[in-house]
Amino acid sequence: MKRSADDQDRKLPPAAEIKPLFISKAERQRLALQRREEEVAEQRRRAQDLLHNQIHSPSSSNSKPGAPSSAPDTNYRQRDRDRERDRDRDRDRDRERDREHRARERERDRGEEARSRERARLEKQAEREREKELEAIKEQYLGSKKPKKRVIRPSEKFRFSFDWENTEDTSLDMNTLYQNPHEARLLFGRGFLAGIDRREQKKLAALHEKETREEIRRKEGLEERPEDAAAQRKKEAAAELYDAFDMRVDRHWTEKKLEEMTERDWRIFREDFNISYKGSRIPRPMRSWAESKLGTELLKAVEKAGYKTPSPIQMAAIPLGLQQRDVIGIAETGSGKTAAFILPMLTYITKLPPMSEENEAEGPYAVVMAPTRELAQQIEDETVKFAHFLGIKVVSIVGGQSIEEQGFKLRQGCEVVIATPGRLLDCLERRYAVLNQCNYVVLDEADRMIDMGFEPQVVGVLDAMPSSNLKPENEDEELDEKKIYRTTYMFSATMPPAVERLARKYLRNPVVVTIGTAGKATDLITQHVIMLKKSEKMPRLQRLLSDLGDKTAIVFCNTKKTVDARAKDLDKLGYRVTIVHGGKSQEQREISLEGFRNRRFNVLVATDVLGRGIDIPDVAHVINYDMPTHVDMYTHRIGRTGRAGKTGVATTFLTPEDWEVFYDLKQMLIQSNSPVPPELARHEASKFKPGSIPDRPPRRNETVFVH
């Protein structure tokens, strides 16, 4: 048979280039089953052939030797044996091929497994090297906390043991004198021991004399005479009293005149009212209105206003203002800060020429800035109350009113301007006002003004004043008595960096007056904090207001939307409710506040617009329906009650969503000795300040070192 031209042209690849064919496990199983079936079929066919041969072949006994029929049988048997041998050889060859194939498969599987193990080992090694590199970078730039080995000090290593036994006692044979030491007896007051309280010694002497006399009478069988008993009682009474030798008995500062006060008395005075100063050349605080250096008219106005005794901030700040010193005041809310800067300011204005047509165009003599309209109008009311007796004109400039009308009032001339920073800067830019002769400026609630974003406006107003009248920065430089210098008062509950910048730029050698603890509520307020869910707030608010009776309450919320919703709910429940928030016009806010002051409304729902400085008399209860985001705002809110020496109650609703303020609130409640709810005390957020990660506690085998 001849090959075709294609077969002749096709070149077979050499044996070295033939690649082994790898088949899958399923294919191997199929081939094995096929071979097994072929073997079974072959065995069956062989058995049938053998049976057929036995049936058709003649018996060996019937055949004769040398007969012609034996030759074909021999050929058949030889052919069957050859065929059987071929089959066995093919079967052995197939088995050998299968064994070799299985061996190659096992070898390939082992090689693949070894390669995968090696790959995994290399990946793990690379990961460990990356981790080591990252740890080295962290250690280089962040440092590492390596547990220090405990260094045993020589004093611990060679510690001397003071545990003695009786056998080690070196005293003289356990002398009884060492066991029963002799005590000196005082003989009827004829001598005293140094270093021991004389009064105690006198009492012991009187007792010893009484016991000695009783012992003498008992031995002699005598009875005590009445005159002896009376004399003994007189001596015992005298022993209870101090005499001129025991202690110099001094009077309290309240019983002394001003000229009798000593340095110790002034220190006790400051401690009694929790007044602390920071500065140089600080004048003495005033103890009463009569001892202040205020004018007669102002003292009459103070008496008419019902101010019987000055508050601590007034005691400390008014003498500083009368000396025209720059002051930074930090005091509790509701402590009378307004009068503390108004009275020195009015005293300063009385020394200046009266406002007339000649100088009214140069602007006011003093400016007071406040963060909110309500606070500015409240300061105006307080100032008018005192300025009325002095003939001083006061003008208020706030937003929400016609700027043209306010500009007209300014052009008519006034001594004092009380304003919010934004509106005052608008008046200056529109040339409605100038500050050419303004040398007295007060920044009330300075930190609140900065928080509200008024720093550019405050700086703009301060820069509009003449800078030539600033005091020299050198404290030792003498001041020109004929020259008028600028006096700056700044009241702030906290001192953020922006307020510090203002103070550093515009205040000269200020005296910092702190009353109580900065940012702490007055002790006259009873604080209650209630942990609850949002859905439980309204029923609890209704329960608190139902106990209000004829008293008034302020409910604070964080948003205008919440204020409107709660006021609507309370109005449906029959409460006389009014609203104050930034979405209301100035006229509406004034009407609401006036109605609340006159008891036409007994519940006021408001935002943080009323959180600072607003003085509403006799507010019995402040309810924080929403907890503010900062604890400083919480302090100012609850300060709307407990004012002017009266007590008040503040209740705060706290939910788990307010966790960011938990730590500061807990610390404040602890400082003011108020109860901390167990849910707040146990909460994880109340244990650490937000943003700080507590260090892990030292392990048992580590030692904490104190350097």
Side-chain angles (χ1 to χ4, degrees), residues 341-350 352 355 363-369 376 379-384 386-388 390-397 406 409-410 413-419 424 434-435 437-442:
F341 62 76
I342 286 176
L343 294 175
M345 179 179 69
L346 296 178
T347 304
Y348 160 78
I349 293 174
T350 55
L352 299 176
M355 194 66 66
Y365 286 140
V367 167
V368 180
M369 283 188 279
I379 296 171
E380 180 193 13
D381 296 339
E382 192 78 6
T383 308
V384 169
F386 297 112
H388 173 69
L390 303 174
I392 294 175
K393 189 177 178 182
V394 182
V395 172
S396 173
I397 301 176
Q406 294 171 348
K409 290 180 182 178
L410 288 172
C414 62
E415 284 87 355
V416 181
V417 169
I418 299 169
L424 181 55
V434 293
L435 300 176
Q437 57 183 0
C438 179
N439 295 318
Y440 204 105
V441 58
V442 178

Side-chain angles (χ1 to χ4, degrees), residues 77-91:
R77 283 194 294 273
Q78 183 65 34
R79 192 166 45 230
D80 289 339
R81 283 196 294 271
D82 293 341
R83 192 181 294 120
E84 183 69 24
R85 191 167 51 252
D86 292 340
R87 280 196 295 269
D88 290 343
R89 190 168 52 249
D90 293 339
R91 191 164 51 249

